[in-house]
Amino acid sequence: MELKMDAAALNAFLTAEFPQVAPDFSVTEVGPEGVVLRLAVGGTHLRPGGTVSGPSMFALADLAIYCAILSRIGPVALAVTTSASIDFMRKPAAGVDLLGECRLLKLGRSLAVGDVLIRSDGVEAPVARSSMTYAIPPR
């Protein structure tokens, strides 16, 4: 399927439509399989013990799938999560950004399904895996 938004367009869209997430999250790659998002881990993303919080990792996964969908259908702000699951597998590396690698499994007219592997930057073993379904509003 043809790409409708590249990394620059997705980042501009996030800055305009979701300014609350734009400083911490950025799209780094867009390709035929999906997208890669970076979470610039800072103090607001940590939980006691110095590890990245579950809600921060969930936000990375959710945003990665959202951006993967938009990269193919264009800027549709009202696409929404309808189902989500996440498995936390290991503690992220301390003081390291997280990368969310999304692969779209299905992109239909009204539903999209994707998987995200979350890794600490520079570390091969994933720290979490997520699967989500999005509803796409009618055009």
Side-chain angles (χ1 to χ4, degrees):
M1 175 176 266
E2 171 188 347
L3 294 177
K4 304 238 176 167
M5 297 179 81
D6 62 10
L10 288 165
N11 286 321
F13 176 81
L14 292 177
T15 298
E17 298 296 329
F18 300 97
Q20 70 275 21
V21 301
D24 297 336
F25 297 89
S26 60
V27 179
T28 61
E29 294 177 38
V30 177
E33 293 293 316
V35 302
V36 177
L37 256 72
R38 175 178 295 275
L39 168 58
V41 174
T44 60
H45 305 113
L46 302 180
R47 61 177 296 261
T51 189
V52 179
S53 71
S56 293
M57 286 189 271
F58 183 91
L60 176 59
D62 192 40
L63 197 56
I65 290 179
Y66 182 65
C67 287
I69 294 166
L70 296 188
S71 75
R72 281 147 182 84
I73 67 171
V76 179
L78 297 180
V80 295
T81 310
T82 60
S83 176
S85 69
I86 191 165
D87 299 308
F88 301 103
M89 297 183 279
R90 57 188 51 83
K91 185 177 178 179
V96 176
D97 290 353
L98 292 181
L99 300 175
E101 301 166 6
C102 176
R103 181 175 55 127
L104 282 181
L105 304 174
K106 176 190 189 285
L107 180 59
R109 283 180 288 142
S110 60
L111 288 178
V113 178
D115 277 339
V116 178
L117 280 179
I118 298 174
R119 293 183 169 89
S120 294
D121 193 11
V123 179
E124 184 60 30
V127 298
R129 179 194 68 83
S130 180
S131 178
M132 294 188 188
T133 302
Y134 258 77
I136 302 168
R139 293 233 174 217

